[in-house]
Structure formats: C-alpha cells, structure tokens
Amino acid sequence: MEDTPIEEGETNKDIEVAPALIAVHPTQKSVAVAVGSDLRVFDLHGVSAVALVDDTSVPFHKDSIRAIHYSADGKLFVSAGDDKVVKVWSTESWRCICTVPSEKRVSAVALSHDGLHVCFADKFGVVWVVDLDGFDGNQTLVNKKAAPLLAHYCSIITSLEVSPDGRFVVSADRDFKIRVTLFPKKPLDGAHEIQSFCLGHTEFVSCLAFVFTPDYPQGFLVSGSGDSTVRLWDISSGSLLDTYEVAEKAGLLESNGTGEECNPAITDLCTFPDGTLIAVATQRQVIKPSLHLQGILLLSCDLSTRTLSIAKVVSITGEAFIPTSIRTSSSAGLLWMVTGVSNMHGFDQPSLARVRVISGSEKCSLSSPEHEPTVLEDNEIPGGDKLLEKLQGSVSVEENVFLAAAEAVKTAMSNLLVKKQYSTEKREFRKRTEMIEKIKSDKLLALTALSKLIL
Amino acid sequence: MLENEANPTFSKSTGLPRKRFYRARAHSNPLSDSHFPVPISPCHVDYSLHYPQFFSSSDQIDSSKKIQVCRYWDKVSEYVKERISALRVANPGQYQNISVVRTNSMKYIPNYFEKGQLSKMFFLFPDPHFKEKNHRRRVISTHLLDEYAYTLRVGGIIYTITDVEELGDWMKACLESHPMYEALTEEELEADPVVKLLSSATEEGQKVARNDGQTFQAIYRRIMPAI
C-alpha cells in the first residue's frame, strides 16, 4: 500500500497570505502594484491612475497575483498567480491582450527579450512557455496554449529570469537549486540542453537577478536565499564566484550587538541599470519589540574581481516598513519598494500596501562613499499623493498592522519554502495516522457501496 | 570479520547477505522529501566513504572508472551495501570500484554528478507506476532525460530494461522523441558486452527468464542536439 503522496504546493487549500508586489516600467512610464487579486497601475507620464480593460474570457484576476513583470522594451506587462491564469497586457492601452490557462498555480514569470515568448513556472516545478505571435497592436490573442519548456522535479520554482544576452533561461527552486538552460530557437519544443547548475545555497533560493555592463554583456547571476546569503555566479560554468553573508550586516539594521543570532531570509533583490549595484531586501528578525530599525542593503558588485561587498545600508525610519518587493527602472535610478499583504486574518483590513522610494543610490558607490541615498518623503516621489492613493488604496493603516503583516508574510514563506524536518517518531506517527485515515475512508466507501447494493 | 553465525541475515555458505531479510514494499514515493543527507554540490561528495581504497583523503581525485549505485528504498540500499562489503571481504582487492548511495535520483542527480561526468547510466526494472496519475513518478520522462543528458557525456550510453511491456514502450518513446538521444544500431548492440548482462546478470532479469517472461530494452546514446 502506497504512502499518501505529500504533494508540494497543493496541500494547503486554505487561502494563503500573499505578499504585495511592485514592478516598474523600464523608462518609468508607469508603476504597477499587485495586492492579492488586485492589480493597480499608475501612469507617471499622464500622472493619473490607470483603468485596466479586460474583456477576455476570464476577466481580471480572481485570486492572489504571485508574479508581475514588464517586458524589456516596456510594451508588454505580465501578471499571474493562484487563479491559474497568466495575463498579458499591452502597456499602451492597458488592455489584456491574452489570457493563458495554467494547470497549476503560477509562482514565477519571465519574458524573452524580443517580447515574443512568455515563460511561467508553476508550483509543481514545470516551466511553461507561450508564444505571443500574431500580436501586432491591440487585438486580443485567443486560444493561446502553453507548452512545457523544462521542469525541476517536484519542486516549487521561486524565480525565473532570462539572461541579458537572451541565450539562457535561469530557474531557481526551493530545493536550493538554480538551473541554467539554453533558451532554444524553438521554445515550444522544449528547452532540453542544460548549461549548468549553480549549486551552493543551503536553503530555498528566493530571488534572481543579473548584473551586466557593456564590458560584460553576458553578465553574472545574483541570487538571494533563505540561507541569508547573496551569491554571485558565472552561469556558463555554474561556478560560485562570491558569497555575501547578510546576517551580520542585517544586525546593523536592528539593535546593536545583543549577541542574538540573526539569519533573515533574503526576500527580494534587484540590480541597478549601471550594472554594479544590487539592492537587497530581507525578512525582519525581531530582536527587541521596541526597536524598529529596518531598511535595504546596497551591495556593490565588482565585475573584474567578481566579488560582492557592502556599499551602503539604507535605513528606513519613522514607520514600520519591511519591503516585500523591490524594483528599479532602467532609467531614473530610483529604487521603488512596496510592503503589503492580502488575505490576512484577524484584522479589519485583510489587504494593505505601502509604497516608498529611495533615490540617489546609483551615485553611491565605493568611489564616493560619503554620498548617502535618501528615502523620499511622500510628496517627493514621482506622482506624489495621487500615485500613493492609487497604489496603496485610500485607507490609512496603523503601524502594528504592518508589523503583523510582515510576520504573516514571513510565516507564509517559511511554510511554503522551508522543508519540514520531522523526527523519526513524528514521521512514523504521520504515516500511521495517514494509513488509519485511509483505512477509515476505504471502509466508508465499501460500506456505502454495499448499502447501495442491498437497498 | 563477518559474523556469520551471529547474524542470520547473512548466508553461511557464500557469506553474502540473504535477500529475503531485506524485503521492502513494492512501491516507494519519490515525491516526498526524505531524511537522507544530500551533498550541496558534486565537489562536496566525500568519495573516501564509497571507494576507500582509491580515496584515502577527500582531496584525492581518481579519474579511473567507478560505479555508483543510487537507490531510493532504504532496505534495498542496505542490502546492496552489505553485499558490497561482504564481496570486498570475500574477494580482497576486488569490488573496490562499486558503491551505493541512498538518495532520490529524480531530484538530486546534479548534486552528485558534474556535467558530463558519467559514461553509462543504467535504469534496471524501474517501478512501472501503472496508474495514469502516477506516470509523472516514472524515473524516465522527457524532463528527467534533460537532467540525465546533463550528467552523461556526449557519446555516453543510457541502458533501460523492464519486464513490463507498457513501461518498455513508454521509455522507448521518451528516448526516441528526445533531441539529445539516438538509438544504438543493431550492430552496436551486438558489439556491446553490457547489453546481454542486462537480462542475464541482474537478479530481476534471471527471475524473469525463469518464469519465461519477456524483457524490453531501450538503449540510447547521448548526442549533441541538432542545431
């Protein structure tokens, strides 16, 4: 008799807490925030909120959005999540031009550089690809079906990226692995040629990004993980070039030297367009309830020595703000951050979001260490109050609610991505109870069948 | 020394472990994460544990051929481990280049083996997982063949054998449709001494022969994909 399979990602049918996400148009024409199933977009050129148009068969998202992405040229926007659909939007008209069904809940998305293909990963470890052929303006593409591209056997894929030169697709999972696969000429036939595996993380890999400059056009991969490190990789060989341990530095953001162990998971990272600066967001380690120092780590990447080092620690003061998602635009040099959550239990507001912006990071490098990036006030950010009203929603939220939200996101991430270590006794107990449950349900089925026969 | 008298699980005559004391359930679940340790990457594998004669310290690299057996069921791994130890004792100097590791080869092959490290891979009488919903647990599938192609060098050979016809057809279809494998020709199959051993040298193969059953093989070479 077989064990009841423990299928990752599909056991918890309860509505999970979902972190808020942010994405920025490459030339900062617009900013998008996803909170739960709500997709909010603000047009920075026209300084106005955007009303999304969706007349496809399944309009708008019905469940938490788990991934959002602008295409490299900014013409397209993709959103996908727990409602098992991938939506492609035109950023000119903000109409949904395509809705692609997925068998499982979607956990990550990426776009090819030419904007012709959308890749998305599901919680079962399969990466799918769909082609956007035939889109020439505004009409809706119907009946687009995705084909399997590659798979990480039964592992939740947390992040998908395409390399700067478009040659490789990189996928990271919760089993500490990063796989680099050649992006084929015919993606719909599958990506079978694995270039390398980047192995070295000792916990789930949570985020990926590339650093690259005109001198190093192929770029290097940067990854963040639950093991509290940021690592630099050469993807053609899979070699680990450098490891940065965030733990001690994150301690700087919290109280000073209490001697407590501090191993916050990396929740998100993104690279600045100049190719040498990496912004890192971490989970919050509560050391003292009274201490609310938190912020962003700015790491400097030296592409010639292939090393990572700390450039700056940017503290965010004045309010509880633990970013759940951070992004930069290719121009402008601003770091956009959002903190927020949806489906939180026990509060009047199940969904909440707060957006903040850091400016001046790009000027902050090892050559001018005295320059300090600044966290902008609400009236200083592009779009000002109008943008905040659209992206945050118009409800004001108390500080303790944001703290509770951060904890809820941390617990949800841990439940999803950290492998449960059961002791031998607990494992045997679980096997026995599962077996007893199965026998009971088998008996019930048999009795029902029998009673139907007799009657 | 072997404890033949004290330990009834070992046969008195051959000194080898007796299979019937290592019975396992017929099926195992490769989806559940088990509790065996997994190396972080291939350079973290401690070869001195497996091939003590060749690796007295873990920084010695021996490039000559080794055989590594990967098994998922703990009882079977135990049996193979005991058998190898017993054979090494009974035949000094021999059986030094074979070892067993308990792992989930569907998830952790890249953790053990580097790109192109293997020259041959054998999949002998794998679990058929008959039900359609369980087909994704089969050890040969299009997606997993990508990973096996990564660890197999170009020109390396993958050998599969089963006594279940449906599974044999499935494995052959997966390999045939995969761009990184090509079938060996009849002449090549004849010339390869290993091919006959698949059915004659394995205990499962011998059992099938005793019961007048049929075996189904699919043997393919890892190639560079056509541009």
Side-chain angles (χ1 to χ4, degrees), chain B residues 106 121-124 126-127 129 135-145 148 158-161 167-168 170-176 181 218:
Chain B
M106 295 164 87
M121 286 181 92
F122 297 87
F123 294 85
L124 310 171
D127 194 328
H129 291 295
H135 281 183
R136 60 190 160 81
R137 300 194 204 178
R138 287 181 165 172
V139 74
I140 297 285
S141 71
T142 309
H143 292 311
L144 284 168
L145 283 174
Y148 305 150
I158 184 168
Y159 300 83
T160 68
I161 182 171
L167 181 66
W170 163 285
M171 297 199 288
K172 187 174 232 141
C174 287
L175 283 161
E176 190 57 45
Y181 297 94

Side-chain angles (χ1 to χ4, degrees), chain A residues 211 222-223 229-231 243-246 249 266 269-272 275-280 296-302 307-313 364 366:
Chain A
V211 282
V222 184
S223 60
T229 64
V230 174
R231 292 179 198 246
T243 303
Y244 186 82
E245 306 219 14
V246 161
K249 282 299 176 222
I266 313 295
L269 53 78
C270 64
T271 55
F272 282 83
T276 59
L277 215 55
I278 305 159
V280 180
I296 292 284
L297 292 174
L298 287 176
L299 295 184
S300 179
C301 176
D302 186 330
T307 52
L308 297 169
S309 54
I310 185 82
K312 269 288 187 281
V313 172
C364 149
L366 292 171

Side-chain angles (χ1 to χ4, degrees), chain A residues 35-52:
Chain A
V35 186
S37 59
D38 197 12
L39 184 57
R40 308 168 183 169
V41 184
F42 191 83
D43 174 357
L44 278 170
H45 269 200
V47 197
S48 59
V50 166
L52 298 168

Side-chain angles (χ1 to χ4, degrees), chain A residues 213-277:
Chain A
T213 61
D215 292 334
Y216 300 91
Q218 338 85 287
F220 296 102
L221 180 71
V222 184
S223 60
S225 160
D227 64 9
S228 212
T229 64
V230 174
R231 292 179 198 246
L232 187 69
W233 311 85
D234 169 11
I235 55 171
S236 17
S237 58
S239 17
L240 174 60
L241 301 172
D242 201 9
T243 303
Y244 186 82
E245 306 219 14
V246 161
E248 343 116 31
K249 282 299 176 222
L252 283 183
L253 292 171
E254 301 284 351
S255 65
N256 13 38
T258 52
E260 294 265 357
E261 236 203 57
C262 196
N263 288 302
I266 313 295
T267 45
D268 203 3
L269 53 78
C270 64
T271 55
F272 282 83
D274 74 340
T276 59
L277 215 55

Side-chain angles (χ1 to χ4, degrees), chain A residues 1-2 5 7-8 124 151 153-154 174-175 177 179 191-195 197 199-200 202 419 427, chain B residues 25 27 29 31 33 35 40-41 106-108 110-111 115 136-137 142-143 146-147 150 178-180 225:
Chain A
M1 187 170 65
E2 287 184 39
E7 305 195 346
E8 311 293 357
F124 239 63
Y153 190 71
C154 283
R174 64 104 94 168
D175 284 291
K177 296 217 282 285
R179 170 174 155 171
H192 299 287
E193 226 182 311
I194 301 176
Q195 175 70 19
F197 280 93
L199 303 176
T202 55
K419 291 205 251 201
R427 231 182 295 119
Chain B
R25 293 192 346 264
H27 302 286
N29 179 19
L31 294 177
D33 290 330
H35 39 284
I40 291 292
S41 74
M106 295 164 87
K107 274 177 112 152
Y108 301 120
N111 293 68
K115 188 172 189 179
R136 60 190 160 81
R137 300 194 204 178
T142 309
H143 292 311
D146 294 348
E147 293 203 0
Y150 167 83
H178 198 285
M180 293 171 78

Side-chain angles (χ1 to χ4, degrees), chain A residues 121-152:
Chain A
D122 66 26
K123 283 183 162 182
F124 239 63
V126 183
V127 178
W128 302 83
V129 66
V130 65
D131 76 85
L132 296 178
D133 242 355
F135 174 63
D136 62 356
N138 265 314
Q139 94 286 24
T140 323
L141 296 169
V142 286
N143 295 328
K144 281 294 180 184
K145 298 224 86 155
L149 187 71
L150 56 95
H152 289 223

Side-chain angles (χ1 to χ4, degrees), chain A residues 6-9 11 123 152-159 171-178 201-206 225-226 413-420, chain B residues 31-33 107-108:
Chain A
I6 304 165
E7 305 195 346
E8 311 293 357
T11 45
K123 283 183 162 182
H152 289 223
Y153 190 71
C154 283
S155 190
I156 299 172
I157 293 187
T158 52
S159 188
S171 40
D173 67 24
R174 64 104 94 168
D175 284 291
F176 326 168
K177 296 217 282 285
I178 297 168
H201 277 299
T202 55
E203 251 307 341
F204 60 85
V205 182
S206 52
S225 160
M413 194 182 214
S414 181
N415 287 346
L416 182 68
L417 298 178
V418 178
K419 291 205 251 201
K420 295 178 183 29
Chain B
L31 294 177
S32 78
D33 290 330
K107 274 177 112 152
Y108 301 120

